[in-house]
Amino acid sequence: MRIGLDIAESWRIALDALRANKARGALTTLGIIIGIVAVSLTMTAANGLQTAFRTSFSAVGSDVIYVSRFPWIIMNDFFLYRNRPALEIRHAEALAEKLKGRAIVNPSMDTGRDLKYRSETMPDVLVSGTTEKQAVMMSAQPEMGHFITEFDCNYKRNVCVIGKDVRDGLFGTANPINQEIKVGRTTFRVIGVMEKQGGGFMGGPNFDRQVIIPLGAYVKAFGGGRGRQNVDIAVKIPTQEAIEEFEFEVMGEMRKIRHLRPSEKDDFSINKLDTLVGTFDKVMGVVLMVGLLVTGVSLFVGGVGVMNIMFVSVTERTREIGIRKAIGAKPHSILSQFLFEAAAICLAGGIIGVLIAVGLSAVINAVLMPATVSIGITITALAVAVAVGVIAGFVPALKGARLRPVDALRYE
């Protein structure tokens, strides 16, 4: 009960002191405000980047293994991979035969081509030649029409499914189904429009700016006969829990298909979303750490300002401290009074800083990327602000608590 009364009394005295020196308190909180805004926006930007990344690559699928000529992330010399022989459709067919009944195998080839519909054009759009199995590989579904079928693939029909951005860019609000567009120099009939998927983040594929056509029609229209193919092979595993085990099995089967001796290195790469996400998270961890260290400098400066003002406050109220001690105030009461005053200054700065960060994050969210100051970030920012106040105010408060009543009362 006594402790509660001491805390309440300390808060009351601290707030009275702040109200008596409004201008000084406002200027003191400025450094804390800047620091909290910087910390909040750094954490919010990091969360926003992670959200944008995961959204951008969500269509890749976490339960799909990709066999490609190149790794998605090249950490070594590019020339180590450039001379690898290309993967071909026959390799995908051989792997599908090996994994028949246990996994779905789907080959695809990509290129960039200009699109044209009447007077409307779109430059350098991703054109993906694949099979009807692609519908199983991705989570998105057609918003209008339907996906390419086995019949389309078997007969190499010039039909296509377009992404949301392609539909908006070429057709606007008009119905694109059964309309003909030119992909490069070849005419294709639109049979479907995919729902919005997102993408294009940090140079990644933009699945909304994409045209999907049957693989046979792709080879017929854009070349890529035997010896000139560069196929990516997607393998959808039965369950995500078995991805590690299946990865080694796919690697072993591909080595057999490519006729590699035990002493030879793989001439293909196994890629999966988990590896990409793991690498991105590591990079973001380093970026976040550096960002927090840099923004921590502003909090340090703000803390120094708070400490300076608290020394001034203790000096100005030396006689008050002497009177309080003379009538029975304990050292811990004086200590808590000034600690609460410093904490109150920083808490006020923290609240203002969070409100400013919320406003700025709304602008970032509207213009650049997903960014929202979450409850967790808010609590963390306010806790950091209070901690800075307690740390910065401890030495001045300790100085006041240690004053002898006789010396304090004689102070002019």
Side-chain angles (χ1 to χ4, degrees):
M1 186 67 178
R2 180 62 185 172
I3 295 175
L5 290 173
D6 284 346
I7 292 175
E9 181 68 12
S10 297
W11 268 114
R12 185 187 65 76
I13 295 173
L15 293 175
D16 286 344
L18 288 178
R19 281 193 288 267
N21 298 279
K22 295 184 181 68
R24 188 169 71 185
L27 292 173
T28 305
T29 60
L30 188 58
I32 301 299
I33 291 171
I34 294 172
I36 292 301
V37 169
V39 169
S40 299
L41 288 182
T42 299
M43 296 172 68
T44 299
N47 287 346
L49 286 171
Q50 288 181 325
T51 300
F53 176 84
R54 292 177 184 276
T55 301
S56 180
F57 286 91
S58 60
V60 171
S62 59
D63 59 347
V64 181
I65 295 171
Y66 293 86
V67 184
S68 309
R69 180 183 176 189
F70 297 101
W72 286 348
I73 301 172
I74 298 178
M75 305 297 292
N76 301 314
D77 192 343
F78 171 78
F79 295 99
L80 294 174
Y81 307 102
R82 191 185 68 169
N83 295 326
R84 284 178 171 180
L87 291 169
E88 300 182 9
I89 296 174
R90 61 189 177 92
H91 296 139
E93 293 171 345
L95 183 61
E97 187 62 31
K98 296 280 188 182
L99 302 177
K100 190 173 182 179
R102 294 185 296 130
I104 300 173
V105 178
N106 181 60
S108 63
M109 299 172 68
D110 298 323
T111 188
R113 287 291 189 276
D114 295 343
L115 304 185
K116 185 175 182 180
Y117 172 71
R118 295 179 180 173
S119 61
E120 301 293 337
T121 60
M122 287 188 73
D124 196 27
V125 175
L126 177 65
V127 181
S128 179
T130 186
T131 74
E132 74 284 355
K133 296 175 184 175
Q134 181 65 22
V136 182
M137 299 290 171
M138 58 187 183
S139 57
Q141 299 297 321
E143 185 178 75
M144 300 176 64
H146 61 85
F147 200 71
I148 57 175
T149 64
E150 185 177 5
F151 179 82
D152 296 328
C153 296
N154 289 340
Y155 290 91
K156 305 176 183 178
R157 300 179 68 207
N158 284 11
V159 294
C160 68
V161 178
I162 61 177
K164 184 74 172 174
D165 289 353
V166 175
R167 182 254 172 103
D168 294 341
L170 293 183
F171 299 96
T173 58
N175 186 355
I177 303 299
N178 290 324
Q179 299 297 321
E180 292 186 339
I181 64 173
K182 276 207 165 184
V183 183
R185 297 180 179 179
T186 307
T187 301
F188 286 83
R189 181 171 59 88
V190 178
I191 60 171
V193 179
M194 297 301 297
E195 64 185 6
K196 190 167 183 63
Q197 301 176 71
F201 177 72
M202 294 181 69
N206 186 348
F207 299 105
D208 292 325
R209 190 183 172 88
Q210 180 183 31
V211 174
I212 301 171
I213 63 178
L215 185 58
Y218 178 98
V219 174
K220 182 175 64 175
F222 309 117
R226 185 162 179 173
R228 294 183 292 114
Q229 297 174 358
N230 188 21
V231 175
D232 290 313
I233 306 171
V235 182
K236 189 175 180 66
I237 61 177
T239 61
Q240 189 171 348
E241 290 73 21
I243 191 167
E244 297 294 338
E245 179 182 339
F246 228 86
E247 180 181 347
F248 289 109
E249 184 172 356
V250 170
M251 189 181 298
E253 295 296 349
M254 283 301 301
R255 287 184 64 85
K256 294 177 187 176
I257 293 169
R258 301 277 272 188
H259 305 293
L260 295 175
R261 293 190 294 271
S263 59
E264 292 180 305
K265 293 183 179 180
D266 294 340
D267 59 0
F268 57 90
S269 294
I270 302 291
N271 297 301
K272 55 184 179 178
L273 183 60
D274 286 350
T275 304
L276 199 61
V277 171
T279 302
F280 179 80
D281 287 344
K282 288 179 182 177
V283 173
M284 282 309 303
V286 174
V287 172
L288 180 59
M289 185 185 302
V290 173
L292 289 177
L293 285 174
V294 172
T295 55
V297 173
S298 59
L299 273 177
F300 174 77
V301 173
V304 170
V306 172
M307 182 180 289
N308 181 57
I309 290 300
M310 291 310 299
F311 272 122
V312 172
S313 182
V314 169
T315 302
E316 287 178 344
R317 291 150 66 187
T318 300
R319 286 183 60 82
E320 176 191 325
I321 294 170
I323 294 171
R324 290 191 64 197
K325 282 196 167 187
I327 60 176
K330 301 295 183 182
H332 66 79
S333 297
I334 306 299
L335 180 70
S336 61
Q337 170 193 335
F338 288 104
L339 282 181
F340 281 127
E341 184 175 333
I345 290 172
C346 291
L347 181 59
I351 293 172
I352 296 171
V354 168
L355 292 175
I356 293 173
V358 168
L360 292 176
S361 66
V363 176
I364 294 172
N365 187 61
V367 177
L368 295 175
M369 62 181 180
T372 305
V373 179
S374 65
I375 296 296
I377 292 175
T378 300
I379 294 173
T380 301
L382 295 179
V384 168
V386 172
V388 168
V390 172
I391 293 170
F394 183 76
V395 174
L398 188 62
K399 176 187 174 184
R402 286 180 173 177
L403 284 173
R404 295 171 59 195
V406 175
D407 296 333
L409 288 170
R410 283 197 308 226
Y411 183 82
E412 293 295 335

